[in-house]
Amino acid sequence: EAGVAQSPRYKIIEKRQSVAFWCNPISGHATLYWYQQILGQGPKLLIQFQNNGVVDDSQLPKDRFSAERLKGVDSTLKIQPAKLEDSAVYLCATAASPGPETQYFGPGTRLLVL
Amino acid sequence: AQSVTQLGSHVSVSEGALVLLRCNYSSSVPPYLFWYVQYPNQGLQLLLKYTSAATLVKGINGFEAEFKKSETSFHLTKPSAHMSDAAEYFCAVTRTGNQFYFGTGTSLTVIP
């Protein structure tokens, strides 16, 4: 069974530029999460999807971050414009269903904003 | 409000020694609790989870954790550390499964 795929693995941009991350979940996984992991901290949930609908985006900085999962499969997370404090690893995780289910994490995208 | 506190950002043990990583939670109702492990440049992998069944939970790679409601704790243990256990460990809590809160992590070093 293929795992959660993320791309790119690394990205370096200058502040005020835009960037997009892509996530392909495990086949059949309806629930998808995006997390931000700043160096030295635990993952922080940004947004949760159930199929193509948003379940929770209370911690997503909506003035600059956006995410979509149009067909309920792949998802993209975008930052526009990026700030220095957005430097972090962005993790995508998926689960077969919502609730206290096991989340399967991708390898993450490491973003450096200069 | 929910949160988890991991005491000790760095723990060092000798190979073969007991591993004890501490996690305390704050939740207004009985939560679901998880331990995840993260190896360098990899995503997180589930070690074990508590979902209100048995209070002593056994996970992969010889790890186990005990849910103690009276102490609001969910400490992770392994009787004998192996070099391959060196990694970052995260405790996480959720009440409904729709909002997960992770601790700040504990980096485990195993000394040969």
Side-chain angles (χ1 to χ4, degrees):
Chain A
E1 179 181 76
V4 177
Q6 289 188 250
S7 67
R9 291 294 311 274
Y10 305 92
K11 190 73 176 180
I12 301 175
I13 62 173
E14 295 187 348
K15 59 183 179 182
R16 290 187 291 273
Q17 287 186 323
S18 63
V19 64
F21 313 127
W22 173 81
C23 174
N24 181 244
I26 292 172
S27 178
H29 278 198
T31 309
L32 186 146
Y33 307 83
W34 280 103
Y35 290 90
Q36 180 192 58
Q37 186 177 18
I38 293 173
L39 186 64
Q41 299 182 20
K44 171 188 159 186
L45 179 66
L46 292 175
I47 189 167
Q48 178 187 345
F49 290 96
Q50 180 62 23
N51 296 308
N52 62 349
V54 175
V55 174
D56 179 19
D57 63 356
S58 57
Q59 299 193 85
L60 185 73
K62 299 181 185 64
D63 57 334
R64 298 184 300 105
F65 285 66
S66 65
E68 60 183 15
R69 196 184 183 199
L70 293 176
K71 297 183 179 179
V73 180
D74 293 7
S75 178
T76 55
L77 176 69
K78 297 178 182 177
I79 307 175
Q80 181 179 12
K83 293 185 175 182
L84 297 178
E85 57 262 36
D86 298 331
S87 294
V89 176
Y90 290 85
L91 296 166
C92 178
T94 70
S97 58
E101 300 297 328
T102 299
Q103 295 184 40
Y104 296 85
F105 284 79
T109 296
R110 188 175 299 273
L111 173 68
L112 179 61
V113 182
L114 302 176
Chain B
Q2 304 169 73
S3 67
V4 289
T5 301
Q6 292 185 239
L7 296 177
S9 57
H10 298 276
V11 170
S12 294
V13 299
S14 297
E15 189 174 16
L18 171 71
V19 176
L20 171 60
L21 304 181
R22 301 178 185 274
C23 173
N24 287 87
Y25 68 89
S26 170
S27 176
S28 57
V29 297
Y32 302 105
L33 292 155
F34 304 76
W35 274 101
Y36 281 85
V37 61
Q38 185 176 33
Y39 298 102
N41 297 316
Q42 295 185 27
L44 283 70
Q45 177 185 4
L46 180 71
L47 276 177
L48 49 81
K49 63 180 178 181
Y50 167 75
T51 56
S52 73
T55 57
L56 181 62
V57 182
K58 294 186 183 298
I60 63 171
N61 302 338
F63 284 93
E64 62 181 37
E66 186 172 7
F67 174 72
K68 292 187 177 180
K69 184 178 179 180
S70 61
E71 300 178 5
T72 60
S73 69
F74 190 59
H75 301 331
L76 182 70
T77 61
K78 181 175 181 178
S80 177
H82 191 272
M83 296 298 293
S84 61
D85 294 327
E88 190 86 16
Y89 291 81
F90 293 94
C91 182
V93 65
T94 183
R95 181 171 65 84
T96 64
N98 288 333
Q99 289 185 329
F100 284 80
Y101 296 90
F102 282 79
T104 53
T106 297
S107 177
L108 176 66
T109 298
V110 182
I111 303 166

